[in-house]
Structures are given as structure tokens and as C-alpha cells.
Amino acid sequence: MNMKELYDAAKSVLPNSYAKYSHFKVAAALKLKNGEVITGINVENASFGLTNCAERTALFTAYTKGYRKEDITEILITTEQDDFISPCGACRQVMSELMPSDALVHLVNNKGESKTVKNADLLPFAFTEDDL
Ligand code: THU
């Protein structure tokens, strides 16, 4: 895995984050098996609940392009913060369905330091299609 490639991609779109209300900019970069990198940012709204997180923006873009979970190998998420971001519950649920359980999730702070976890470890006992 070339984390620098993903980090550079996420950093390049971080300024585009539309974080007008929280001023908490987030960017994500997804790596696909074919080598393609797909980025996403958080997009806020005056109706706060309509905010879309960076992880979900990247994943929904990948799915829009026709990719599916088996095409995705990892995701990197970064912010301007000293601390590592902890993906929100909604994103964990979406990542649990839209990415492989063994996909790597790299959390990177503003110094470029990283912590890597496995997708499945972010949401034990997830709600899945089997529960429907
Ligand atoms: N945010 C993300 O983009 N990803 C996360 O995993 C956590 C939160 C965004 C949503 C909102 O725009 C801002 O960060 C503050 O909550």
C-alpha cells in the first residue's frame, strides 16, 4: 500500500471541504484494486443533519462510477486536527456495507501520523442485510 499517494490525494482536496458551520475540514481518499484513487470531502448544510461526511462522499462517488465493495482495498481519512479522526457512526455503518470487512482504514492527523484499523473492527455487531 502506498499511503503517501492516498494522503497526497486527500490533502489536495482538504481545502475544498465545505465545512462552513463546524469549520472541521475532513477529506478521504479511497484506493481501488485497479489503482484508481477516489477522493471525498465533507459537505455541510445550514440544515445540519443533511451534512455528508468525507468518507461517504468518497464511497458514494466510487459507487456512482460503477465500482463495488470488492473493488475497494483501503480508505484514508484526514483532517487539520492534531488528533486522529474517529469515523462517525453513520460512516461506520456505510463503510461496513460498502467496503470489504478486511479493508484498511487509515486515520491520519495534521502531522501526517497515522493509525490503521480494519473496517470490521470499527463496527462490531453491524446491522446488515441479514437483519432485514
Ligand atoms: N465528519 C466527517 O466528514 N467524517 C467523520 O467521520 C466525522 C465527521 C464531518 C461532518 C461535519 O461536517 C464535521 O466533520 C464535524 O462533525
Side-chain angles (χ1 to χ4, degrees), residues 20-132:
K20 199 170 181 174
Y21 305 100
S22 73
H23 306 291
F24 189 90
K25 289 176 175 278
V26 187
L30 273 178
K31 180 81 173 183
L32 303 176
K33 277 191 189 146
N34 70 2
E36 193 174 333
V37 171
I38 293 177
T39 54
I41 49 149
N42 55 330
V43 182
E44 299 188 347
N45 194 279
S47 177
F48 299 154
L50 300 184
T51 292
N52 206 66
C53 291
E55 302 89 311
R56 281 180 285 147
T57 304
L59 278 165
F60 295 161
T61 301
Y63 272 65
T64 301
K65 295 179 105 182
Y67 295 113
R68 290 297 180 259
K69 74 190 300 179
E70 60 275 9
D71 301 311
I72 300 170
T73 60
E74 54 210 309
I75 187 169
L76 179 145
I77 310 157
T78 193
T79 67
E80 296 172 322
Q81 312 297 314
D82 294 342
D83 293 331
F84 300 114
I85 188 164
S86 176
C88 80
C91 286
R92 290 176 196 222
Q93 176 67 29
V94 170
M95 290 193 290
S96 138
E97 175 149 347
L98 301 190
M99 299 197 326
S101 54
D102 62 350
L104 299 178
V105 181
H106 308 290
L107 311 168
V108 183
N109 68 8
N110 60 7
K111 297 181 200 78
E113 296 160 345
S114 64
K115 183 155 98 177
T116 297
V117 293
K118 232 172 55 180
N119 190 25
D121 294 334
L122 283 174
L123 189 63
F125 201 52
F127 182 76
T128 73
E129 61 185 314
D130 298 334
D131 296 302
L132 293 174

